[in-house]
Amino acid sequence: MIRSTLIFLSLLAFTACSPVQTVTDPKNPSGLPIYFLDDHAAASISFLNHRAERLPSGHLSIAFTCQGLYEKKSEKPVVIDWRVVFFDRQHFPADETEWHTEYLLPGEVKMLQAGSIRTDCTGFQVQMRTSAGGKRKQG
């Protein structure tokens, strides 16, 4: 009994300490783990920072902040859809959140959060799109 408990705790500690990778968009010069699915999203939203951590349960917890940018002659909010795609060790999508909709006023900063369902995820990417983006890339 004690032996199995020690083995479980060792495995849990190993899983909790494994690194979290980010998957970046080659067209995004910031190097942050965000992928804009349309040009309007890239022009309307500033991705400020992020944090990613592995919880003791082995799940990934992601938090990121973004800001609505000012557009000429417009004080209307930007409507964004976002989700997080989680990747396995081979960099294949293993889990993803549902699409969430947020309204960002010009200059407004919001922190958004998501978590993985699977415990074997090692990386993630935030995907954003806007309703004004016209044709959307499939994601």
Side-chain angles (χ1 to χ4, degrees):
M1 178 70 174
I2 294 174
R3 178 184 249 177
S4 61
T5 303
L6 289 175
I7 290 172
F8 174 75
L9 290 175
S10 298
L11 288 174
L12 184 61
F14 176 73
T15 302
C17 295
S18 62
V20 177
Q21 303 168 356
T22 57
V23 180
T24 58
D25 179 5
K27 295 184 279 184
N28 183 0
S30 72
L32 294 173
I34 186 165
Y35 189 79
F36 292 110
L37 298 175
D38 60 66
D39 292 336
H40 189 259
S44 303
I45 306 161
S46 176
F47 189 73
L48 302 176
N49 59 32
H50 74 283
R51 106 175 138 67
E53 65 181 346
R54 187 168 301 281
L55 301 174
S57 64
H59 299 91
L60 289 182
S61 174
I62 310 302
F64 59 95
T65 53
C66 55
Q67 181 176 23
L69 298 178
Y70 290 96
E71 294 184 24
K72 294 180 181 177
K73 300 180 186 177
S74 176
E75 290 295 319
K76 294 191 288 187
V78 176
V79 181
I80 60 167
D81 295 325
W82 66 275
R83 73 175 176 182
V84 179
V85 178
F86 296 94
F87 296 89
D88 64 13
R89 286 187 175 92
Q90 288 79 31
H91 303 289
F92 284 102
D95 189 9
E96 63 187 37
T97 66
E98 295 180 2
W99 284 101
H100 302 276
T101 301
E102 297 290 333
Y103 296 83
L104 285 171
L105 293 171
E108 181 180 14
V109 176
K110 281 195 177 181
M111 183 174 83
L112 307 172
Q113 299 179 2
S116 68
I117 294 174
R118 295 177 49 166
T119 58
D120 62 340
C121 297
T122 60
F124 72 97
Q125 179 186 71
V126 177
Q127 296 181 349
M128 286 192 173
R129 65 185 185 193
T130 59
S131 58
K135 287 186 175 179
R136 294 180 179 154
K137 295 179 186 175
Q138 295 296 318

